[in-house]
Every structure is written in structure tokens, then in C-alpha cells.
Amino acid sequence: MARIVMKFGGTSMAGTERIRRVARIVQRQQAAGHEVAVVVSAMAGETDRLVNFCREASALYDPAEYDVVVASGEQVTSGLLAMHLQALGCKARSWLGWQLPVRTDDAFSKARIEGIDSDALLASMASGEVAVIPGFQGVTADKRITTLGRGGSDTSAVAVAAAIGADRCDIYTDVDGVYTTDPRIVAKARKLKAVTYEEMLELASVGSKVLQTRSVSLAMKEGVRVQVLSSFIDDDAPAADTIPGTMIVADEELEGYEMERQLITGIAADKNEAKITLTRIADRPGAVASIFAPLAEANINVDMIIQNVAKDKGETDVTFTCPQADLARTQALLEECKEQIGWYRMIADSKVAKVSVVGVGMRAHAGVASTMFKSLADRGINIQAISTSEIKVSVLIDSDEVELAVRVLHSAYGLDAQ
């Protein structure tokens, strides 16, 4: 018998028939004698619908009230799944984020989990009851509802798995594993048997939609074994233990998988980027800090940062990227701080995208960046910004050229399936 956390994404919960299918998948795991907790996302498209309501109310909405609105999507699916499980004869109940509780900080719309009280949950599971938990949501010390950011249900699932000491965390999605790139863009993309925490963390951070960045980081920190599977399987399909999905594991565990390690593991693209340039900023100590300090206080994540060479008059331009969803707030904050920062002109561009190549093989091989730059140049794709890490190279390009760039790089690094 194992203790398992099962997480189902929005496409898996999109409507009555799909929720009924999920209930049957969960029922089989419980029937096998396992203790089961299920974490669910809102129905596909529901969170976007709720977000649009907030934007229609105010472009600069109150993040605390935003969380009250968007957290409702997961509440609906958790209750519905519990009902479907009961209809199949399973003992089941839903647990909202505040009922466990899932304790978070007060960074509304981007809250971080501080802890999960698991005693009542463990007692419920030990009695044979399936616990159905809405992902994405938590509660502050003063009882305000919070959400964890887009894709936060993955983080919720891993956090629950860590809190209850689960044997593994199964993430069910609309794909059957982690691929070398998005199969909808590159038909020859290959499914990977296993990926290291570090590689998955980089892939998630640069646009891979399979897992959310914070969920991978938490899994690596807590040592939670994560399996990526598809929920779109037949009723007579084998149990999750035997389905060939993708395991997210530590480096040392890779020896247990018969897989050929390549220089590049995968390629990811992210169109949810925006670029901002501030011109004629004084070239003096503290000038750049005055730009990013207020953004950090507002919990706005900044990615690529470029500071141009100072001009003779002691001025410089600073360019950086942020999530598209934060563009309006970022511009408003910079306008408020204009006198303090001393910028002359602010130029915003939301028609950009980030393309990245990721692989632990970069550590021991030179020429990865050169191959990337030359391959893009040969197809006339201009690079606007570059950022790197030990196992990643990212470039910022025009959003209209993303799919072409991904196909070109997938072939350039020999990732196409034979």
C-alpha cells in the first residue's frame, strides 16, 4: 500500500464527463488499497474567465479581492469530484484551502505556502476516505483567501505530498509526459523517460507548461518524487504505476533509467513576456536599484536585464522583461517612481517571447550558445536580449517568430525523433 497524491489539471476537469473519468482513475487507486489525496485545478478556461471579470472591474484591481474571485474555480471542481467519487461508492470529501489549512504569506495572487496542517487530512485518509483538495489556494494568518499564481495547483499538490509524506505525487495532464519540446509545434518531439529536478526547474521557468516552476523547486527541496502522466486514458488502461510517463528525479536516480543523455534535454518557449526600456538613466551607483526595488516590493518578477554602455554624458538605458500580466502594474509603479529613478522615456513592448534551450550536458560541452545564435541568424530571427545559467541559454525574440525558432533549434540540436 502506498500513500499517493494525484493532481488533475484544468483540461482533465473540463466538464462532467471528464470529471467522471477522473473519478474512475482515482477509484482504481483507492481500490488497490492506497491512501489517496487528490488536488484539482479549475475547469479549463474558468480561471481566465474569472481573471477577465477582475480586469473589467479595474485595470489596477485589488490583489486581495482578485484572489477571492479566482479561487472559486477550484472550489467548484473539488466539490464536483467528491460528488462523483461518492456516486461510485467511494468515501470522499472536499477540503478547502482554509479548512486544512494551507497557510500562506500575504503576497496576494502570488502567495507562497508556509505550511500545511496535515493531522486531520491524514486521519481522513487513514479511514479510507479520499481527500479532494482545491489547488492554487490558501489562507493568510488573518484569514484572507490567497492564490499561488498561475499553475499553482502543481505547487499545492507537491506541498500536500511533502506534508503527508507521500510515496509519490502523480501529476495528470493533457500530455503523457515531458517532451523535448511542445509536440503541437514540433511533430517529431520525443517523450523523455526521466528528467532531473534541475532540468525540469529550468524548463518550467522558461515556458514549459507541463509543470509549474515553484512545484519543481519544492519537489527538489523536499525530495518528492513526481510522475507526469496523462488523464486521457481508457478505463481499462493499467494503473499509474505502470504507465510510461516521465519521472522527475534527482541526478543519482537517473542511473535506474535506460536513457541516452543528450547535450540538450529540451526547448521551451514563453509568449507571456513583456519588455520595458527606460532611457537616459543616470550612470551612478544605486540608479538601477531604484528601478527594481519597488518592483520587488510589489512581488513583480523581473527576468532578463540589460544595461547599455553609458554614454559620454553619464547616462544609460536599462531594458528588462516581466510577465505580460504584470505589465500594467509595472508601468504604473515606474511612473510613480519616475522622479526618484530619473528616467526620460519608458518604452513597453508586449509582442516578444522567450525561447530557451536546457540541458545538464551544457556543463561539459562548449558551443551550445554559438549553435543557438547561428541557427537563429541563418533563418533571419533577430535576438533582442540574452540570459544564461549553467544549464540554460535563453533569448528574447519577436513573438511572431516563436514557432519557427523552436523548430529550427529542435533540429539543430538533434532532438527530432527518428
Side-chain angles (χ1 to χ4, degrees):
M1 183 184 76
R3 183 176 294 162
I4 303 170
V5 173
M6 307 171 72
K7 184 267 177 179
F8 294 89
T11 52
S12 304
M13 306 297 291
T16 300
E17 286 305 315
R18 290 188 179 180
I19 294 176
R20 186 175 290 122
R21 180 195 293 265
V22 166
R24 290 194 291 265
I25 294 173
V26 174
Q27 180 192 36
R28 281 186 295 168
Q29 291 288 17
Q30 187 193 44
H34 301 310
E35 292 184 1
V36 181
V38 185
V39 175
V40 295
S41 297
M43 293 184 187
E46 180 64 10
T47 300
D48 288 336
R49 187 177 74 91
L50 296 170
V51 169
N52 286 334
F53 284 147
C54 295
R55 289 174 176 167
E56 289 171 3
S58 172
L60 300 175
Y61 48 73
D62 178 358
E65 299 304 337
Y66 167 95
D67 280 0
V68 173
V69 175
V70 299
S72 64
E74 282 74 13
Q75 179 170 326
V76 171
T77 49
S78 61
L80 287 174
L81 179 57
M83 291 179 189
H84 280 283
L85 286 166
Q86 291 166 1
L88 293 174
C90 299
K91 287 179 61 179
R93 67 153 290 184
S94 61
W95 295 82
L96 300 186
W98 60 268
Q99 290 175 314
L100 286 173
V102 177
R103 293 177 282 104
T104 74
D105 60 21
D106 59 0
F108 295 103
S109 80
K110 297 177 182 177
R112 302 190 72 84
I113 296 175
E114 295 180 339
I116 297 178
D117 296 341
S118 60
D119 291 346
L121 182 60
L122 286 168
S124 171
M125 294 170 64
S127 71
E129 190 172 70
V130 176
V132 185
I133 303 164
F136 183 57
Q137 63 174 244
V139 62
T140 66
D142 59 352
K143 309 303 181 185
R144 294 300 302 269
I145 298 297
T146 59
T147 62
L148 309 182
R150 298 305 294 265
S153 293
D154 287 345
T155 302
S156 298
V158 173
V160 169
I164 66 175
D167 293 280
R168 69 172 189 270
C169 179
D170 291 341
I171 306 289
Y172 288 83
T173 70
D174 55 352
V175 296
D176 58 352
V178 179
Y179 280 73
T180 49
T181 195
D182 189 337
R184 293 168 297 185
I185 298 177
V186 180
K188 292 184 177 181
R190 294 183 293 102
K191 185 172 69 175
L192 301 166
K193 293 181 181 179
V195 179
T196 68
Y197 288 127
E198 196 173 4
E199 287 174 323
M200 194 66 240
L201 185 60
E202 289 284 17
L203 286 168
S205 71
V206 294
S208 173
K209 301 299 189 295
V210 178
L211 290 176
Q212 196 247 16
T213 308
R214 283 162 55 190
S215 69
V216 183
S217 177
L218 183 60
M220 182 166 62
K221 175 177 176 289
E222 300 292 338
V224 175
R225 303 181 79 250
V226 176
Q227 183 175 203
V228 178
L229 303 161
S230 173
S231 61
F232 296 91
I233 55 177
D234 296 330
D235 290 342
D236 59 354
D241 311 65
T242 58
I243 297 173
T246 300
M247 291 297 302
I248 316 299
V249 297
D251 285 347
E252 52 270 21
E253 287 192 55
L254 285 181
E255 296 178 1
Y257 294 87
E258 293 181 0
M259 59 182 292
E260 182 181 351
R261 298 299 296 164
Q262 295 200 359
L263 175 63
I264 297 299
T265 298
I267 298 169
D270 188 0
K271 290 186 176 182
N272 298 311
E273 294 281 322
K275 181 178 70 171
I276 291 179
T277 298
L278 300 178
T279 67
R280 296 178 60 181
I281 296 171
D283 184 30
R284 56 175 173 75
V288 174
S290 67
I291 299 172
F292 298 110
L295 300 183
E297 290 174 5
N299 293 298
I300 295 174
N301 291 323
V302 174
D303 186 14
M304 298 177 171
I305 302 174
I306 300 172
Q307 182 174 350
N308 296 333
V309 176
K311 302 174 183 177
D312 292 338
K313 60 180 67 176
E315 296 175 341
T316 186
D317 297 341
V318 175
T319 299
F320 63 92
T321 61
C322 69
Q324 268 190 25
D326 289 331
L327 179 58
R329 291 176 60 220
T330 301
Q331 289 176 287
L333 282 169
L334 294 173
E335 287 284 359
E336 291 177 9
C337 301
K338 181 174 182 179
E339 185 174 342
Q340 176 188 349
I341 299 171
W343 54 266
Y344 175 73
R345 185 183 177 201
M346 177 165 52
I347 306 167
D349 184 0
S350 60
K351 294 182 179 180
V352 295
K354 180 169 58 181
V355 176
S356 308
V357 296
V358 176
V360 293
M362 291 186 194
R363 290 173 174 157
H365 295 83
V368 173
S370 175
T371 298
M372 184 181 199
F373 302 156
K374 185 178 186 305
S375 299
L376 296 177
D378 287 346
R379 298 304 295 268
I381 299 173
N382 185 50
I383 296 173
Q384 302 179 29
I386 302 167
S387 68
T388 65
S389 74
E390 190 179 22
I391 64 169
K392 176 201 72 180
V393 180
S394 297
V395 296
L396 195 70
I397 62 174
D398 188 285
S399 60
D400 292 337
E401 299 177 317
V402 168
E403 293 191 4
L404 173 60
V406 170
R407 293 190 188 101
V408 167
L409 294 174
H410 200 266
S411 295
Y413 290 109
L415 295 177
D416 290 347
Q418 300 301 317

